[in-house]
Amino acid sequence: MITINEHYLKLQASYLFSDIAKRVAAFQKNNPDKDIIKLGIGDVTRGLPAAAIKAFHNAVDEMANDATFKGYGPEQGYDFLRQAIAINDFQSRGADIAADEIFVSDGAKCDTGNIQELFSQDIKIAIPDPVYPVYLDTNVMAGRTGTFTDGRYQGLVYLDSTRANNFVPALPAEDVDLIYLCFPNNPTGSTISKAELKTWVDYAREHKALILFDAAYEAFIRDESLPKSIYEIEGAKEVAIEFRSFSKSAGFTGTRCAYTVVPKQCAAYDSSGNRHFLHSLWNRRHCTKFNGVSYPVQRAAEAVYSEEGKAQAKALIDYYMENSMAVCNTMDTLGYDYVGGKNSPYIWIDGRMDSWQFFDMLLNKAGVVCTPGAGFGKCGNGYIRISAFNSHEKVQEAMQRLTKVLSA
Ligand code: PLP
């Protein structure tokens, strides 16, 4: 008899986006003339940088010709892209990361989800609340948690991100082995300073723990004093793996390209306490289970680092950041407390009521769709997330509607 992995039965059905869709559909049915503005999703809305498109086209043409055709590529990514990443994203900021420490992939979602395979079943895991759900669910699937009781999985250490700690969680009171951190954060948009991040690196070094640092939104950082990479912190290479993506930095959500950095010194231990380097374990996993990103996509990603590509990608980010600023300015005027928006495409707003109540009010009175914070964890209740991924016109219109409703 074929039996299932029963850990899957512990997973909480993710009602968040389907609940939102249902409520939006009901509103649309009852108000067919009302135009709805969606500021709920984390997907980008603008076209790829022209330099990336040009390189993409050229690479597709290469595939048509026997002389330049490419078959299976290196699973870790082509050297041209790994070099461009190492130089531009790390070495230029003083982080000593080499090309062969970079593993190109088709998504930070897959990588942040798959990485837990390298670790044993009985590790103690610290996960932020609110959280990007992939970190949580992949550990539930792997059987590293107990059941879901009173809004939380048993056996995990939750790192509360609240107004009291400015949405940067405190170090755990108990010993943990694996720590998930994400800055700029999804969903809160909060950022971490170098000094704060150093306390996590020091903790990991002291406890022989590992940090999984998700920097998918680093391109939105404006404040030059903030770290874009955990490797800007001394000692991090031994205790941290970093995830990056072209999804939000260059509009690749539908094109698919990301990467994970596993420094050569980064280690974990076997049950006898012997040290093992994670670079070789991840390399083994990547080569066994992943075929590499397609050649044209890697050429398109490489072009993001050309002079025109950099300027065009920056213009994309600047466009969304204007929206972020418009949302922040509206909240300042209305006197609503929020975090994020200044170095992030997300604005996390204290709605002063239940998340879903606030969501319904914005939908029904303003025709604006946001994301209820409660969908990201217990600490998200009372908050909503507004995303900057839309056109200037739509965001301006949404802010005018919100101003009318919230100042009434
Ligand atoms: N990490 C975070 C925090 C995200 O919010 C997202 C996407 O929304 C991802 C990773 C996934 O990125 P990718 O498109 O590369 O899979």
Side-chain angles (χ1 to χ4, degrees), residues 103-133:
F103 293 84
V104 176
S105 79
D106 61 353
K109 181 186 195 174
C110 322
D111 288 353
T112 53
N114 290 328
I115 196 82
Q116 47 74 32
E117 278 185 29
L118 303 191
F119 312 113
S120 67
Q121 283 302 107
D122 54 358
I123 50 169
K124 198 74 168 163
I125 304 173
I127 292 200
D129 178 353
V131 74
Y132 174 58

Side-chain angles (χ1 to χ4, degrees), residues 175-233:
D175 287 1
V176 299
D177 308 304
L178 187 65
I179 300 155
Y180 287 82
L181 293 179
C182 173
F183 291 103
N185 189 264
N186 178 15
T188 68
S190 62
T191 51
I192 192 165
S193 69
K194 280 188 183 160
E196 287 165 330
L197 191 52
K198 184 171 182 305
T199 65
W200 286 96
V201 170
D202 291 347
Y203 175 97
R205 290 168 68 89
E206 265 164 43
H207 291 78
K208 292 187 170 173
L210 183 78
I211 299 172
L212 300 177
F213 190 73
D214 187 341
Y217 295 95
E218 56 74 33
F220 295 84
I221 291 178
R222 288 297 168 86
D223 178 346
E224 273 299 314
S225 73
L226 296 172
K228 286 190 161 225
S229 165
I230 195 164
Y231 305 119
E232 291 173 39
I233 310 298

Side-chain angles (χ1 to χ4, degrees), residues 290-303:
F290 184 62
N291 262 327
V293 173
S294 79
Y295 173 72
V297 168
Q298 292 193 58
R299 279 292 185 203
E302 180 199 22

